[in-house]
Amino acid sequence: MKIVVTGGAGFIGSNFVQYEVNRYPEDEIINLDLLTYAGNLESVAPVADKKNYRFVRGDIADRAFVFDFFEKEKPDIVINFAAESHVDRSITDPEVFVRTNVVGTTTLLDACRTYGIKRYHQVSTDEVYGDLPLDRPDLFFTEETPLHTSSPYSSAKAAADLFVQAYHRTYGLPVTISRCSNNYGPYHFPEKLIPLVISRALNNEEVPVYGEGKNVRDWLYVTDHCSAIDLVVRKGRVGEVYNIGGHNERSNLEVVQTILRALNKPESLIHFVKDRPGHDLRYAMDPTKIETELGWKPEYTFDTGIPVTIDWYLNHRDWWEHIVSGEYQKYFEKMY
Ligand code: NAD
Ligand code: TDX
């Protein structure tokens, strides 16, 4: 099968590309990525020379390019990871979020219905459900929770989800959607909380914590997200939404303290800064549907995944130092 993974040079996409290329040598994996600031071919370097892997640079919101690409490649499956993904950037510059996350998704959907496809999978997020109160630990997001977004990022992701569902209902496109909680692990861009704290603490730099650090996120190790998407794409029911999460809720302050302790760094590095506007209080997923229907189980808990992640950043200093210095953007010119 020919599988197109969009956004395969980003954090989760690159982990997924590696997962698929290694697990399914008989499938052909095409990584379609624009290489924005978040795209980094060093993140797929371990599979770059594999026979069942190819990279194509392109913009999912460029209709002429996308249709030309589909005409040439005729993919069987499209898995859409490509997105602008950082909430803080969406607050300062919402427009590109509409372009990539909404127009990009609808462009792919149009190409899929024009050329035919066995499966279109949309990689979505828990943020489309809005947030939960901090004082109700009994509440979780289910697939029936209404969409109720807070940031330009989550609004654009929710809009994309609605288009995916509309293309299923109106045109009969065989789609699935997965909505996952916060990921962490290898190849995570150091603008996001966990890699930011690891990289800054290793350099003995201050670590910014928004507000009082009480907001709660539900953390999942990235390869557990990859195995869940793989299951949904290959075994999930068409037209369905699947929530993904491993019940690993931690406050931001707990996350930062855990990392500093593991690195043997002082808590005096913590610097409380102005809160994020519209900051969602708590995310918490109910993954019962994917567990019972598809038999998915995460391999890591927060307590086992964090030490593995820290080790990865210690052993791959070049990877994140290239990002901090801007060096990584030269990789594309060197390789292509
Ligand atoms: P990322 O920002 O690390 O990577 C995004 C990738 O998309 C980059 O490689 C970038 O170059 C590419 N891209 C951006 N615009 C493009 C365009 N117009 N055309 C082609 N490629 C383009 O993001 P991530 O954290 O890996 O997230 C991947 C997906 O998973 C996103 O859809 C995100 O909404 C979703 N998600 C992320 C998390 C998380 O915790 N990071 C959790 C749940 C869902
Ligand atoms: O410097 C920081 N200090 C801080 O306190 C940063 C960057 C973040 N934070 C807080 C904000 C959040 O409560 O930490 C929490 C996590 O922040 P991010 O890493 O920016 O992630 P979040 O906003 O939760 O969104 C992530 O999870 C859902 C991804 O970036 C999204 O793409 C995904 O959909």
Side-chain angles (χ1 to χ4, degrees), residues 85-88 125-127 153 182 191-193 196 208-210 215 217 219 252 276 279 283:
S85 69
H86 193 37
V87 173
D88 292 328
T125 168
D126 56 3
E127 300 201 15
Y153 162 71
N182 282 59
E191 66 183 349
K192 307 283 168 56
L193 181 69
L196 182 92
V209 172
Y210 298 164
N215 304 60
R217 296 292 182 265
W219 294 97
N252 293 338
R276 172 186 280 173
H279 199 171
Y283 303 143

mmCIF file of all heavy atoms in Angstrom, residues 85-88 125-127 153 182 191-193 196 208-210 215 217 219 252 276 279 283, ligand 2:
data_model
loop_
_atom_site.group_PDB
_atom_site.id
_atom_site.type_symbol
_atom_site.label_atom_id
_atom_site.label_comp_id
_atom_site.label_asym_id
_atom_site.label_seq_id
_atom_site.Cartn_x
_atom_site.Cartn_y
_atom_site.Cartn_z
ATOM 1 N N SER A 85 1.153 23.913 14.937
ATOM 2 C CA SER A 85 0.778 23.168 16.149
ATOM 3 C C SER A 85 0.982 23.915 17.459
ATOM 4 O O SER A 85 0.631 23.388 18.512
ATOM 5 C CB SER A 85 1.584 21.859 16.194
ATOM 6 O OG SER A 85 2.950 22.151 16.432
ATOM 7 N N HIS A 86 1.548 25.125 17.415
ATOM 8 C CA HIS A 86 1.887 25.756 18.693
ATOM 9 C C HIS A 86 0.866 26.815 19.101
ATOM 10 O O HIS A 86 0.686 27.827 18.409
ATOM 11 C CB HIS A 86 3.290 26.360 18.612
ATOM 12 C CG HIS A 86 3.836 26.735 19.953
ATOM 13 N ND1 HIS A 86 3.620 25.995 21.094
ATOM 14 C CD2 HIS A 86 4.608 27.775 20.346
ATOM 15 C CE1 HIS A 86 4.224 26.571 22.121
ATOM 16 N NE2 HIS A 86 4.820 27.650 21.689
ATOM 17 N N VAL A 87 0.219 26.589 20.235
ATOM 18 C CA VAL A 87 -0.859 27.470 20.712
ATOM 19 C C VAL A 87 -0.366 28.925 20.835
ATOM 20 O O VAL A 87 -1.047 29.864 20.398
ATOM 21 C CB VAL A 87 -1.401 26.957 22.065
ATOM 22 C CG1 VAL A 87 -2.391 27.945 22.667
ATOM 23 C CG2 VAL A 87 -2.043 25.580 21.881
ATOM 24 N N ASP A 88 0.809 29.136 21.416
ATOM 25 C CA ASP A 88 1.299 30.511 21.606
ATOM 26 C C ASP A 88 1.464 31.230 20.264
ATOM 27 O O ASP A 88 1.141 32.415 20.144
ATOM 28 C CB ASP A 88 2.635 30.510 22.361
ATOM 29 C CG ASP A 88 2.471 30.057 23.810
ATOM 30 O OD1 ASP A 88 1.398 30.317 24.387
ATOM 31 O OD2 ASP A 88 3.392 29.432 24.344
ATOM 32 N N THR A 125 -6.757 16.602 18.039
ATOM 33 C CA THR A 125 -6.231 16.873 19.374
ATOM 34 C C THR A 125 -7.336 16.972 20.423
ATOM 35 O O THR A 125 -8.485 17.318 20.090
ATOM 36 C CB THR A 125 -5.431 18.205 19.332
ATOM 37 O OG1 THR A 125 -5.155 18.627 20.654
ATOM 38 C CG2 THR A 125 -6.212 19.320 18.639
ATOM 39 N N ASP A 126 -6.957 16.730 21.678
ATOM 40 C CA ASP A 126 -7.924 16.911 22.777
ATOM 41 C C ASP A 126 -8.378 18.364 22.898
ATOM 42 O O ASP A 126 -9.430 18.649 23.485
ATOM 43 C CB ASP A 126 -7.333 16.413 24.112
ATOM 44 C CG ASP A 126 -6.003 17.044 24.510
ATOM 45 O OD1 ASP A 126 -5.518 17.936 23.787
ATOM 46 O OD2 ASP A 126 -5.456 16.643 25.557
ATOM 47 N N GLU A 127 -7.569 19.292 22.357
ATOM 48 C CA GLU A 127 -7.889 20.717 22.535
ATOM 49 C C GLU A 127 -9.193 21.128 21.849
ATOM 50 O O GLU A 127 -9.747 22.182 22.156
ATOM 51 C CB GLU A 127 -6.736 21.596 22.032
ATOM 52 C CG GLU A 127 -5.458 21.308 22.777
ATOM 53 C CD GLU A 127 -4.428 22.421 22.722
ATOM 54 O OE1 GLU A 127 -4.775 23.548 22.354
ATOM 55 O OE2 GLU A 127 -3.272 22.135 23.054
ATOM 56 N N TYR A 153 -5.502 28.106 17.489
ATOM 57 C CA TYR A 153 -5.023 26.774 17.097
ATOM 58 C C TYR A 153 -6.141 25.735 17.206
ATOM 59 O O TYR A 153 -6.444 25.017 16.254
ATOM 60 C CB TYR A 153 -3.829 26.353 17.973
ATOM 61 C CG TYR A 153 -3.558 24.858 17.939
ATOM 62 C CD1 TYR A 153 -3.039 24.253 16.802
ATOM 63 C CD2 TYR A 153 -3.845 24.044 19.045
ATOM 64 C CE1 TYR A 153 -2.810 22.876 16.758
ATOM 65 C CE2 TYR A 153 -3.615 22.675 19.008
ATOM 66 C CZ TYR A 153 -3.100 22.095 17.858
ATOM 67 O OH TYR A 153 -2.882 20.735 17.819
ATOM 68 N N ASN A 182 -1.701 15.562 25.100
ATOM 69 C CA ASN A 182 -0.337 16.094 24.889
ATOM 70 C C ASN A 182 0.687 14.975 24.737
ATOM 71 O O ASN A 182 0.755 14.086 25.580
ATOM 72 C CB ASN A 182 0.095 16.932 26.091
ATOM 73 C CG ASN A 182 -0.505 18.304 26.092
ATOM 74 O OD1 ASN A 182 -1.720 18.452 26.095
ATOM 75 N ND2 ASN A 182 0.339 19.319 26.084
ATOM 76 N N GLU A 191 10.196 24.433 21.533
ATOM 77 C CA GLU A 191 9.340 25.558 21.908
ATOM 78 C C GLU A 191 8.220 25.046 22.835
ATOM 79 O O GLU A 191 7.539 25.823 23.488
ATOM 80 C CB GLU A 191 8.691 26.194 20.660
ATOM 81 C CG GLU A 191 7.711 25.257 19.964
ATOM 82 C CD GLU A 191 7.097 25.792 18.685
ATOM 83 O OE1 GLU A 191 7.241 26.983 18.399
ATOM 84 O OE2 GLU A 191 6.455 24.988 17.972
ATOM 85 N N LYS A 192 8.025 23.708 22.874
ATOM 86 C CA LYS A 192 6.947 23.105 23.667
ATOM 87 C C LYS A 192 7.472 22.794 25.075
ATOM 88 O O LYS A 192 8.676 22.604 25.263
ATOM 89 C CB LYS A 192 6.448 21.822 22.989
ATOM 90 C CG LYS A 192 6.052 22.003 21.515
ATOM 91 C CD LYS A 192 4.715 22.673 21.345
ATOM 92 C CE LYS A 192 4.398 23.124 19.927
ATOM 93 N NZ LYS A 192 4.451 22.125 18.887
ATOM 94 N N LEU A 193 6.560 22.737 26.050
ATOM 95 C CA LEU A 193 6.970 22.740 27.465
ATOM 96 C C LEU A 193 8.088 21.739 27.804
ATOM 97 O O LEU A 193 9.135 22.143 28.322
ATOM 98 C CB LEU A 193 5.755 22.502 28.382
ATOM 99 C CG LEU A 193 6.119 22.527 29.874
ATOM 100 C CD1 LEU A 193 6.514 23.926 30.329
ATOM 101 C CD2 LEU A 193 4.970 22.006 30.729
ATOM 102 N N LEU A 196 11.435 22.206 26.043
ATOM 103 C CA LEU A 196 11.931 23.544 26.416
ATOM 104 C C LEU A 196 12.586 23.489 27.798
ATOM 105 O O LEU A 196 13.695 23.999 28.002
ATOM 106 C CB LEU A 196 10.764 24.544 26.434
ATOM 107 C CG LEU A 196 11.132 25.993 26.754
ATOM 108 C CD1 LEU A 196 11.399 26.758 25.462
ATOM 109 C CD2 LEU A 196 10.017 26.696 27.525
ATOM 110 N N PRO A 208 10.510 29.161 31.954
ATOM 111 C CA PRO A 208 9.286 29.945 32.145
ATOM 112 C C PRO A 208 8.066 29.070 32.434
ATOM 113 O O PRO A 208 7.771 28.134 31.696
ATOM 114 C CB PRO A 208 9.108 30.667 30.801
ATOM 115 C CG PRO A 208 9.825 29.813 29.809
ATOM 116 C CD PRO A 208 10.873 29.020 30.536
ATOM 117 N N VAL A 209 7.360 29.357 33.515
ATOM 118 C CA VAL A 209 6.118 28.653 33.841
ATOM 119 C C VAL A 209 4.994 29.683 33.811
ATOM 120 O O VAL A 209 5.068 30.714 34.495
ATOM 121 C CB VAL A 209 6.201 27.973 35.219
ATOM 122 C CG1 VAL A 209 4.847 27.404 35.632
ATOM 123 C CG2 VAL A 209 7.248 26.866 35.198
ATOM 124 N N TYR A 210 3.970 29.406 32.998
ATOM 125 C CA TYR A 210 2.887 30.380 32.833
ATOM 126 C C TYR A 210 1.986 30.404 34.070
ATOM 127 O O TYR A 210 1.617 29.340 34.602
ATOM 128 C CB TYR A 210 2.019 30.022 31.615
ATOM 129 C CG TYR A 210 2.731 30.033 30.283
ATOM 130 C CD1 TYR A 210 2.155 29.407 29.162
ATOM 131 C CD2 TYR A 210 3.970 30.659 30.106
ATOM 132 C CE1 TYR A 210 2.785 29.403 27.932
ATOM 133 C CE2 TYR A 210 4.608 30.655 28.878
ATOM 134 C CZ TYR A 210 4.020 30.021 27.799
ATOM 135 O OH TYR A 210 4.641 30.018 26.579
ATOM 136 N N ASN A 215 -2.126 24.642 35.682
ATOM 137 C CA ASN A 215 -2.859 24.013 34.569
ATOM 138 C C ASN A 215 -2.400 22.571 34.402
ATOM 139 O O ASN A 215 -1.227 22.259 34.575
ATOM 140 C CB ASN A 215 -2.601 24.795 33.270
ATOM 141 C CG ASN A 215 -2.976 26.248 33.432
ATOM 142 O OD1 ASN A 215 -2.416 26.937 34.279
ATOM 143 N ND2 ASN A 215 -3.917 26.719 32.650
ATOM 144 N N ARG A 217 -2.145 18.989 32.155
ATOM 145 C CA ARG A 217 -2.129 18.340 30.848
ATOM 146 C C ARG A 217 -2.031 16.828 31.062
ATOM 147 O O ARG A 217 -1.508 16.370 32.079
ATOM 148 C CB ARG A 217 -0.936 18.832 29.999
ATOM 149 C CG ARG A 217 -1.000 20.332 29.663
ATOM 150 C CD ARG A 217 -2.140 20.621 28.731
ATOM 151 N NE ARG A 217 -2.275 22.010 28.307
ATOM 152 C CZ ARG A 217 -3.073 22.909 28.901
ATOM 153 N NH1 ARG A 217 -3.762 22.573 29.975
ATOM 154 N NH2 ARG A 217 -3.173 24.139 28.432
ATOM 155 N N TRP A 219 -0.367 13.614 29.675
ATOM 156 C CA TRP A 219 0.810 13.384 28.822
ATOM 157 C C TRP A 219 0.902 11.959 28.293
ATOM 158 O O TRP A 219 0.761 10.997 29.052
ATOM 159 C CB TRP A 219 2.085 13.723 29.604
ATOM 160 C CG TRP A 219 2.169 15.180 29.926
ATOM 161 C CD1 TRP A 219 1.803 15.789 31.103
ATOM 162 C CD2 TRP A 219 2.602 16.235 29.052
ATOM 163 N NE1 TRP A 219 2.000 17.156 31.002
ATOM 164 C CE2 TRP A 219 2.486 17.453 29.767
ATOM 165 C CE3 TRP A 219 3.081 16.274 27.727
ATOM 166 C CZ2 TRP A 219 2.824 18.686 29.216
ATOM 167 C CZ3 TRP A 219 3.425 17.502 27.182
ATOM 168 C CH2 TRP A 219 3.291 18.693 27.926
ATOM 169 N N ASN A 252 1.493 21.626 35.317
ATOM 170 C CA ASN A 252 2.731 22.063 34.664
ATOM 171 C C ASN A 252 3.875 22.177 35.661
ATOM 172 O O ASN A 252 5.016 21.818 35.359
ATOM 173 C CB ASN A 252 2.512 23.412 33.961
ATOM 174 C CG ASN A 252 1.555 23.284 32.795
ATOM 175 O OD1 ASN A 252 1.374 22.191 32.257
ATOM 176 N ND2 ASN A 252 0.936 24.388 32.411
ATOM 177 N N ARG A 276 -0.668 32.563 29.706
ATOM 178 C CA ARG A 276 -1.113 32.509 28.299
ATOM 179 C C ARG A 276 -2.560 33.017 28.242
ATOM 180 O O ARG A 276 -3.399 32.537 29.024
ATOM 181 C CB ARG A 276 -1.028 31.055 27.832
ATOM 182 C CG ARG A 276 -1.630 30.787 26.473
ATOM 183 C CD ARG A 276 -1.621 29.283 26.170
ATOM 184 N NE ARG A 276 -0.324 28.823 25.728
ATOM 185 C CZ ARG A 276 -0.015 27.530 25.526
ATOM 186 N NH1 ARG A 276 -0.909 26.587 25.735
ATOM 187 N NH2 ARG A 276 1.179 27.190 25.105
ATOM 188 N N HIS A 279 -5.817 30.581 28.518
ATOM 189 C CA HIS A 279 -5.124 29.331 28.873
ATOM 190 C C HIS A 279 -6.092 28.238 29.350
ATOM 191 O O HIS A 279 -6.723 28.378 30.398
ATOM 192 C CB HIS A 279 -4.119 29.652 29.986
ATOM 193 C CG HIS A 279 -3.049 28.648 30.166
ATOM 194 N ND1 HIS A 279 -1.970 28.858 30.988
ATOM 195 C CD2 HIS A 279 -2.870 27.411 29.627
ATOM 196 C CE1 HIS A 279 -1.180 27.805 30.962
ATOM 197 N NE2 HIS A 279 -1.706 26.914 30.133
ATOM 198 N N TYR A 283 -6.812 19.288 30.614
ATOM 199 C CA TYR A 283 -7.209 18.313 29.596
ATOM 200 C C TYR A 283 -7.120 16.933 30.230
ATOM 201 O O TYR A 283 -6.159 16.633 30.952
ATOM 202 C CB TYR A 283 -6.251 18.308 28.392
ATOM 203 C CG TYR A 283 -6.063 19.604 27.669
ATOM 204 C CD1 TYR A 283 -4.803 19.950 27.166
ATOM 205 C CD2 TYR A 283 -7.110 20.484 27.436
ATOM 206 C CE1 TYR A 283 -4.593 21.131 26.465
ATOM 207 C CE2 TYR A 283 -6.907 21.670 26.747
ATOM 208 C CZ TYR A 283 -5.654 21.986 26.265
ATOM 209 O OH TYR A 283 -5.453 23.150 25.584
HETATM 210 O O1 TDX B 2 7.180 28.031 28.304
HETATM 211 C C1 TDX B 2 6.104 27.468 28.583
HETATM 212 N N1 TDX B 2 5.630 27.525 29.865
HETATM 213 C C2 TDX B 2 4.445 26.968 30.251
HETATM 214 O O2 TDX B 2 4.043 27.053 31.420
HETATM 215 C C3 TDX B 2 5.330 26.752 27.600
HETATM 216 C C4 TDX B 2 5.802 26.657 26.172
HETATM 217 C C5 TDX B 2 4.150 26.179 27.993
HETATM 218 N N2 TDX B 2 3.695 26.300 29.271
HETATM 219 C C6 TDX B 2 2.427 25.641 29.653
HETATM 220 C C7 TDX B 2 1.253 25.912 28.740
HETATM 221 C C8 TDX B 2 0.467 24.605 28.794
HETATM 222 O O3 TDX B 2 -0.416 24.625 29.905
HETATM 223 O O4 TDX B 2 2.665 24.243 29.564
HETATM 224 C C9 TDX B 2 1.529 23.535 29.028
HETATM 225 C C10 TDX B 2 1.949 22.817 27.768
HETATM 226 O O5 TDX B 2 2.203 23.818 26.790
HETATM 227 P P1 TDX B 2 2.608 23.443 25.279
HETATM 228 O O6 TDX B 2 3.805 22.561 25.320
HETATM 229 O O7 TDX B 2 2.666 24.721 24.502
HETATM 230 O O8 TDX B 2 1.384 22.513 24.837
HETATM 231 P P2 TDX B 2 -0.191 22.765 24.774
HETATM 232 O O9 TDX B 2 -0.519 24.193 24.688
HETATM 233 O O10 TDX B 2 -0.809 21.969 25.909
HETATM 234 O O11 TDX B 2 -0.532 22.059 23.370
HETATM 235 C C11 TDX B 2 0.080 20.799 22.998
HETATM 236 O O12 TDX B 2 -0.817 19.722 23.215
HETATM 237 C C12 TDX B 2 -1.944 19.608 22.369
HETATM 238 C C13 TDX B 2 0.507 20.815 21.534
HETATM 239 O O13 TDX B 2 1.404 21.889 21.308
HETATM 240 C C14 TDX B 2 -0.685 20.876 20.609
HETATM 241 O O14 TDX B 2 -0.255 20.823 19.254
HETATM 242 C C15 TDX B 2 -1.568 19.679 20.908
HETATM 243 O O15 TDX B 2 -2.732 19.714 20.128
#
